[in-house]
Amino acid sequence: SSGINAEWPLRPGGQDVAQAGTSSMALVTMETVDKDSLYVSVTMPCIEVGVVGGGTNLPQQRNALEIIAPDVKAELLAQVVCGAVLAGELSLLAAMTSGDLVKSHISLNRKK
């Protein structure tokens, strides 16, 4: 994974944008379990999230943090971010395999 899907969940909660690059490194693995099942996982070995200090004290960011992770604990926030990354990767893979990604890029091309 390029980690692109990993950057967007980090920003609304006041996370340090300078850390988003390293925190967003992700490895997505897929393996067939049996004829009809696929196991998909995401590993984010360098994720850094915070719930105190910096931008997390700004009103909008604090509100976003409380929506994303109501208990506002870093471990829960990291799990939510990983879940969002996994959903984004699955969505991207579905769009690529169905051809919708290319179709949408062609139809929405602003250079027309």
Side-chain angles (χ1 to χ4, degrees):
S1 169
S2 64
I4 291 170
N5 285 323
E7 283 190 36
W8 66 265
L10 293 169
R11 295 181 184 211
Q15 302 304 303
D16 186 350
V17 179
Q19 298 298 100
T22 55
S23 288
S24 65
M25 290 190 294
L27 175 65
V28 178
T29 58
M30 289 175 254
E31 34 184 306
T32 53
V33 177
D34 56 42
K35 181 182 167 198
D36 298 320
S37 299
L38 180 67
Y39 177 82
V40 184
S41 68
V42 63
T43 302
M44 297 181 72
C46 299
I47 190 167
E48 299 172 23
V49 294
V51 294
V52 296
T56 64
N57 292 325
L58 299 171
Q60 289 180 320
Q61 283 71 14
R62 175 55 48 186
N63 187 39
L65 274 176
E66 290 172 3
I67 290 169
I68 295 168
D71 291 337
V72 194
K73 294 199 174 29
E75 184 178 348
L76 176 60
L77 180 58
Q79 291 171 354
V80 169
V81 169
C82 285
V85 169
L86 182 60
E89 291 292 329
L90 289 173
S91 176
L92 176 62
L93 289 169
M96 289 171 65
T97 57
S98 69
D100 289 340
L101 184 67
V102 173
K103 288 178 208 168
S104 65
H105 276 80
I106 291 170
S107 69
L108 299 172
N109 184 353
R110 292 184 177 93
K111 294 182 181 179
K112 287 184 178 181

